[in-house]
Amino acid sequence: MHILAIETSCDETALALLEATGALSAPRFKILGNVISSQIEVHRPWGGVVPNLAKREHLKNLPIVFEEIIGGPASHSWGPGLLALDAIAVTVGPGLEPALWTGVNFAKELYKNLKKKNKKSKLVGVNHLEGHLYSFLLAQKTETPNSKFLIPNSRLFPAIALIVSGGHTILLKMDSLTKWKKLGETRDDAVGEAFDKVAKMLDLPYPGGPEIQRLAKQGNPHAIEFPRPMIHDKSYDFSYSGLKTSVLYYLRDHKEARPLAGSRVSQELGADVAASFQEAALEVLVTKTVRATKEYKSKSIFLSGGVAANVSLREKLEIESKKLKISFIAPPMDFNTDNGVMIGVAGYISYLRKKNRRITAQANLSL
Ligand code: KG4
Ligand code: ZN
């Protein structure tokens, strides 16, 4: 079936066109179109995402991105535009409420027209977190319709899934694609949020994750011993506000560490702060994920969310998975931060499960 997916939960207006086939035991996806209009430059001067600015930008960008996807070259390979769709999938939450409404209303409007022509078509509400979670499915080869699933289900589950984004840090045990249990989550800041806040302290632009990663490459990850909050705690919960505060205090006491202060020494110290912070933040994630993997004898680790773009995190989990002789699966680099493709993937799974979510903005929707 053909799915148009719409994502507007934060600061990306992202649409995708997918061809989805297969049952829940082996869903497969072919990406026919994928357009992301990023608002980073609009929010950057404010150091973070401003909800009403996000709404304004989504309203402006949605028709443009839609035209690009439906009217553009992407559509020519599969058929005559909107009316050939079988489903529209739209993020209903969690996210910024004003931003979510823009996507939801846009999807409803499109669906009105689609429904007139194709009575069997569906409007599917998607949980953004399921979008991240299921994005590991994009790691499989999709070139040919009959290409095999990456790894048979029997060798995939039980799995431990780590979702790490700007708003969430969640560890799950999955018994199948549709059956999971939340093991733990952050009690305060999300890990991506900590990256963004520490970057701000170092005078680096928003979003901070890629900036910290870049600066960290030049620093010594063991130069400063920042705390590893809750690393020895029995629970699978996380906490990132204490680590963020430690960096704040360190920078208050070592003003020369701020990279923009100018001198070579300060650049080096700034890099050491970035590298040491990153090391501390990632060590907690990796330690808890590995502990859960051992406890639940899981056969694979799935990593997703914007922070999954962090190369060091991917490498560490890859190394640990090799040691444990299990699979490590993370989405290809383009599908870690918010995108429409993952919403199409999760939309297809919801469609197969006949899950009817309310088509309204649900800012605090949980997994
Ligand atoms: O999933 P996402 O695009 O949006 C949310 O659902 O929150 O995640 C965005 C988060 C931001 O906090 C950003 O700084 C972080 O992902 N991020 C990274 C990297 N790339 C993006 N964090 C660490 N290292 C990266 N390379
Ligand atoms: Zn996200």
Side-chain angles (χ1 to χ4, degrees):
M1 66 187 285
H2 288 102
I3 304 175
L4 172 72
I6 302 173
E7 153 63 36
T8 63
S9 69
C10 193
D11 59 345
E12 322 275 10
T13 316
L15 268 64
L17 246 188
L18 302 187
E19 186 185 321
T21 49
L24 277 173
S25 55
R28 285 183 293 268
F29 303 92
K30 197 167 167 192
I31 301 166
L32 303 176
N34 176 27
V35 180
I36 301 176
S37 170
S38 173
Q39 305 175 3
I40 284 175
E41 294 307 326
V42 175
H43 297 288
R44 193 164 267 165
W46 308 94
V49 180
V50 184
N52 277 325
L53 273 184
K55 173 183 166 178
R56 188 193 73 188
E57 291 299 303
H58 286 312
L59 286 174
K60 191 175 85 192
N61 295 330
L62 272 166
I64 301 169
V65 178
F66 173 72
E67 190 50 39
E68 204 174 319
I69 281 271
I70 287 291
S75 68
H76 297 153
S77 60
W78 66 278
L82 176 71
L83 299 180
L85 290 173
D86 301 293
I88 297 174
V90 61
T91 304
V92 293
L96 303 169
E97 191 159 332
L100 286 165
W101 272 120
T102 64
V104 166
N105 287 334
F106 192 78
K108 278 181 160 173
E109 213 40 52
L110 289 180
Y111 184 61
K112 258 194 221 159
N113 293 329
L114 176 59
K115 189 83 194 287
K116 280 183 212 151
K117 294 282 173 209
N118 179 358
K119 289 218 164 27
K120 283 192 183 149
S121 64
K122 294 271 182 269
L123 177 58
V124 185
V126 175
N127 182 323
H128 180 87
L129 294 170
E130 287 188 11
H132 281 304
L133 178 63
Y134 289 134
S135 58
F136 82 89
L137 291 167
L138 296 165
Q140 64 186 320
K141 293 251 176 298
T142 50
E143 283 82 38
T144 61
N146 297 322
S147 60
K148 288 248 165 58
F149 191 60
L150 183 73
I151 304 170
N153 269 351
S154 58
R155 278 177 50 209
L156 218 47
F157 299 105
I160 295 296
L162 177 65
I163 307 175
V164 276
S165 71
H168 295 86
T169 308
I170 302 175
L171 201 61
L172 300 174
K173 176 174 89 92
M174 294 179 81
D175 291 318
S176 71
L177 210 53
T178 55
K179 196 166 160 245
W180 63 69
K181 183 179 156 216
K182 199 185 278 182
L183 300 177
E185 62 191 322
T186 186
R187 294 189 181 174
D188 40 58
D189 292 355
V191 61
E193 192 179 349
F195 270 83
D196 293 336
K197 287 180 176 165
V198 168
K200 210 170 179 178
M201 292 176 206
L202 289 167
D203 299 317
L204 298 167
Y206 174 84
E211 299 289 333
I212 294 275
Q213 169 172 298
R214 186 183 50 74
L215 189 60
K217 276 195 201 124
Q218 302 154 31
N220 172 4
H222 306 292
I224 308 154
E225 200 53 32
F226 287 126
R228 272 77 170 146
M230 299 188 75
I231 197 164
H232 298 302
D233 190 89
K234 278 205 185 76
S235 78
Y236 286 110
D237 282 347
F238 302 89
S239 163
Y240 278 99
S241 82
L243 169 59
K244 174 193 71 187
T245 310
S246 296
V247 178
L248 184 73
Y249 288 159
Y250 185 89
L251 289 170
R252 191 188 58 191
D253 298 339
H254 300 79
K255 290 211 165 48
E256 70 279 14
R258 292 160 74 90
L260 291 186
S263 79
R264 234 181 76 95
V265 176
S266 74
Q267 288 280 357
E268 282 165 15
L269 254 172
D272 282 348
V273 169
S276 301
F277 158 75
Q278 179 173 274
E279 187 69 14
L282 300 189
E283 193 179 319
V284 184
L285 293 178
V286 173
T287 303
K288 295 216 164 188
T289 306
V290 168
R291 182 151 64 78
T293 305
K294 288 179 181 161
E295 181 176 343
Y296 294 101
K297 298 186 177 43
S298 85
K299 295 177 185 163
S300 39
I301 293 175
F302 306 149
L303 174 69
S304 64
V307 184
N310 188 283
V311 174
S312 184
L313 176 57
R314 294 169 88 100
E315 279 171 5
K316 285 176 195 292
L317 285 175
E318 176 103 60
I319 290 169
E320 293 302 325
S321 304
K322 279 212 174 103
K323 279 192 216 157
L324 293 165
K325 298 192 170 56
I326 61 171
S327 317
F328 168 65
I329 309 176
M333 272 306 185
D334 287 348
F335 304 114
N336 296 294
T337 47
D338 292 347
N339 61 86
V341 175
M342 69 180 199
I343 301 305
V345 170
Y348 184 59
I349 307 287
S350 288
Y351 168 84
L352 291 177
R353 294 175 75 186
K354 300 190 170 39
K355 212 168 176 167
N356 288 321
R357 280 196 190 86
R358 276 184 300 127
I359 311 293
T360 54
Q362 300 165 55
N364 298 315
L365 191 65
S366 59
L367 255 185

PDB file of all heavy atoms in Angstrom, residues 14 63 102 125 130 241 275 291:
ATOM      1  N   ALA A  14       8.182  17.463   8.035  1.00  0.00           N
ATOM      2  CA  ALA A  14       8.724  16.309   7.307  1.00  0.00           C
ATOM      3  C   ALA A  14       7.612  15.463   6.719  1.00  0.00           C
ATOM      4  O   ALA A  14       6.685  15.057   7.424  1.00  0.00           O
ATOM      5  CB  ALA A  14       9.583  15.468   8.241  1.00  0.00           C
ATOM      6  N   PRO A  63       2.290  23.134   2.792  1.00  0.00           N
ATOM      7  CA  PRO A  63       1.849  23.041   1.387  1.00  0.00           C
ATOM      8  C   PRO A  63       3.029  22.923   0.417  1.00  0.00           C
ATOM      9  O   PRO A  63       2.918  22.245  -0.605  1.00  0.00           O
ATOM     10  CB  PRO A  63       1.108  24.364   1.153  1.00  0.00           C
ATOM     11  CG  PRO A  63       0.977  25.026   2.466  1.00  0.00           C
ATOM     12  CD  PRO A  63       1.911  24.399   3.426  1.00  0.00           C
ATOM     13  N   THR A 102      -0.840  21.597  13.486  1.00  0.00           N
ATOM     14  CA  THR A 102      -0.693  21.962  12.069  1.00  0.00           C
ATOM     15  C   THR A 102      -0.687  20.710  11.189  1.00  0.00           C
ATOM     16  O   THR A 102      -1.365  20.669  10.163  1.00  0.00           O
ATOM     17  CB  THR A 102       0.597  22.781  11.805  1.00  0.00           C
ATOM     18  OG1 THR A 102       1.737  21.969  12.110  1.00  0.00           O
ATOM     19  CG2 THR A 102       0.639  24.065  12.605  1.00  0.00           C
ATOM     20  N   GLY A 125      -3.402   7.850  13.006  1.00  0.00           N
ATOM     21  CA  GLY A 125      -2.684   8.686  13.972  1.00  0.00           C
ATOM     22  C   GLY A 125      -1.469   7.926  14.487  1.00  0.00           C
ATOM     23  O   GLY A 125      -1.573   6.751  14.844  1.00  0.00           O
ATOM     24  N   GLU A 130       6.726   5.768  18.697  1.00  0.00           N
ATOM     25  CA  GLU A 130       6.688   4.519  17.923  1.00  0.00           C
ATOM     26  C   GLU A 130       7.418   4.721  16.591  1.00  0.00           C
ATOM     27  O   GLU A 130       8.038   3.795  16.069  1.00  0.00           O
ATOM     28  CB  GLU A 130       5.244   4.061  17.679  1.00  0.00           C
ATOM     29  CG  GLU A 130       4.588   3.499  18.916  1.00  0.00           C
ATOM     30  CD  GLU A 130       3.225   2.863  18.633  1.00  0.00           C
ATOM     31  OE1 GLU A 130       2.861   2.662  17.461  1.00  0.00           O
ATOM     32  OE2 GLU A 130       2.521   2.584  19.629  1.00  0.00           O
ATOM     33  N   SER A 241      19.836  15.810  34.756  1.00  0.00           N
ATOM     34  CA  SER A 241      19.955  17.210  35.169  1.00  0.00           C
ATOM     35  C   SER A 241      21.192  17.426  36.056  1.00  0.00           C
ATOM     36  O   SER A 241      21.811  18.482  36.015  1.00  0.00           O
ATOM     37  CB  SER A 241      18.655  17.704  35.803  1.00  0.00           C
ATOM     38  OG  SER A 241      18.608  17.317  37.134  1.00  0.00           O
ATOM     39  N   ALA A 275      34.062  16.434  25.403  1.00  0.00           N
ATOM     40  CA  ALA A 275      34.382  15.003  25.324  1.00  0.00           C
ATOM     41  C   ALA A 275      34.054  14.302  26.643  1.00  0.00           C
ATOM     42  O   ALA A 275      33.506  13.186  26.647  1.00  0.00           O
ATOM     43  CB  ALA A 275      35.858  14.822  24.978  1.00  0.00           C
ATOM     44  N   ARG A 291      23.149  -3.947  30.779  1.00  0.00           N
ATOM     45  CA  ARG A 291      22.621  -4.679  31.945  1.00  0.00           C
ATOM     46  C   ARG A 291      21.244  -5.272  31.623  1.00  0.00           C
ATOM     47  O   ARG A 291      20.954  -6.421  31.934  1.00  0.00           O
ATOM     48  CB  ARG A 291      22.547  -3.731  33.144  1.00  0.00           C
ATOM     49  CG  ARG A 291      22.050  -4.413  34.414  1.00  0.00           C
ATOM     50  CD  ARG A 291      22.611  -3.769  35.673  1.00  0.00           C
ATOM     51  NE  ARG A 291      22.203  -2.406  35.885  1.00  0.00           N
ATOM     52  CZ  ARG A 291      21.014  -2.021  36.363  1.00  0.00           C
ATOM     53  NH1 ARG A 291      20.108  -2.929  36.665  1.00  0.00           N
ATOM     54  NH2 ARG A 291      20.735  -0.749  36.532  1.00  0.00           N
TER      55      ARG A 291
END
